[in-house]
Amino acid sequence: LSLLSPYKVSLQNDCTYEFTTHKGVVYYAYFVSGSGYFSEYDFASDVLTFGFDIKENPHHVYVDRRIDLSISSIVNDFFVAQPNKILFFFCESGDHKHAARMRKFKNWYANSRNENIEMLTGRIDVENMHLHCAIILKNNNSQKEAVTEAFWKRIRHISNK
């Protein structure tokens, strides 16, 4: 891949990327169908969710800005390869780290410095919990208006339950 990433990123299959840090930590980032979140909309088949995790870690956790930059370049590459797709990010709250995950996701978006993509973020308040979610799509996505409307409608609907 010709990503602008500080680490060499390889495509493992159609939707999984992998890279190894200078300390030998292996990360993978993946995109999977998120159509179920918007199943009643025409654009549902274009919705993917994003996740990443550590595959191998011979060291303790350490701060490495190049990891963030590598993730940002993966997201940018995703939109180059699939410009009509919509990326949905939902932060689960089971481990109470959802706010930190959303901050990290916002940092990736900011680090991407890609003026051709747009991010919408929202918070769902339900049963004394705050769930964070976001959508990223290309500015020229033909479904942008419908996606934006559906995103805010979904947040209002879940928050009002």
Side-chain angles (χ1 to χ4, degrees):
L1 294 174
S2 62
L3 297 172
L4 298 174
S5 170
Y7 291 122
K8 183 179 188 289
V9 177
S10 61
L11 187 60
Q12 301 300 302
N13 58 46
D14 286 346
C15 57
T16 304
Y17 296 78
E18 189 173 289
F19 63 93
T20 304
T21 68
H22 71 286
K23 293 206 175 191
V25 180
V26 180
Y27 283 86
Y28 64 100
Y30 52 92
F31 299 89
V32 295
S33 174
S35 62
Y37 289 105
F38 297 94
S39 58
E40 67 273 29
Y41 296 95
D42 291 340
F43 61 81
S45 63
D46 288 327
V47 177
L48 296 170
T49 61
F50 172 77
F52 84 101
D53 210 341
I54 295 173
K55 185 175 179 179
E56 296 174 30
N57 186 3
H59 303 282
H60 294 287
V61 176
Y62 65 97
V63 177
D64 181 350
R65 179 160 162 61
R66 292 171 287 191
I67 296 167
D68 289 352
L69 295 171
S70 296
I71 297 290
S72 295
S73 68
I74 289 169
V75 172
N76 281 334
D77 183 70
F78 166 81
F79 281 109
V80 168
Q82 302 188 60
N84 295 320
K85 297 296 184 183
I86 301 144
L87 187 56
F88 181 62
F89 188 74
F90 183 80
C91 301
E92 293 288 340
S93 62
D95 61 2
H96 303 289
K97 295 180 182 179
H98 51 285
R101 282 191 195 93
M102 183 52 74
R103 278 192 305 275
K104 181 66 77 178
F105 193 68
K106 286 179 178 179
N107 284 341
W108 294 334
Y109 173 74
N111 286 335
S112 75
R113 295 187 176 115
N114 187 337
E115 296 173 0
N116 297 315
I117 60 174
E118 180 178 332
M119 180 169 73
L120 305 172
T121 62
R123 188 175 93 176
I124 299 169
D125 298 314
V126 63
E127 297 180 15
N128 298 326
M129 290 189 307
H130 307 296
L131 308 174
H132 299 272
C133 57
I135 279 194
I136 297 180
L137 69 164
K138 295 273 289 201
N139 291 334
N140 63 357
N141 186 305
S142 62
Q143 299 276 358
K144 181 179 172 182
E145 189 175 320
V147 171
T148 301
E149 184 179 318
F151 178 71
W152 295 121
K153 183 177 178 181
R154 176 75 59 218
I155 289 173
R156 284 190 306 273
H157 175 74
I158 295 172
S159 291
N160 291 330
K161 281 189 172 184

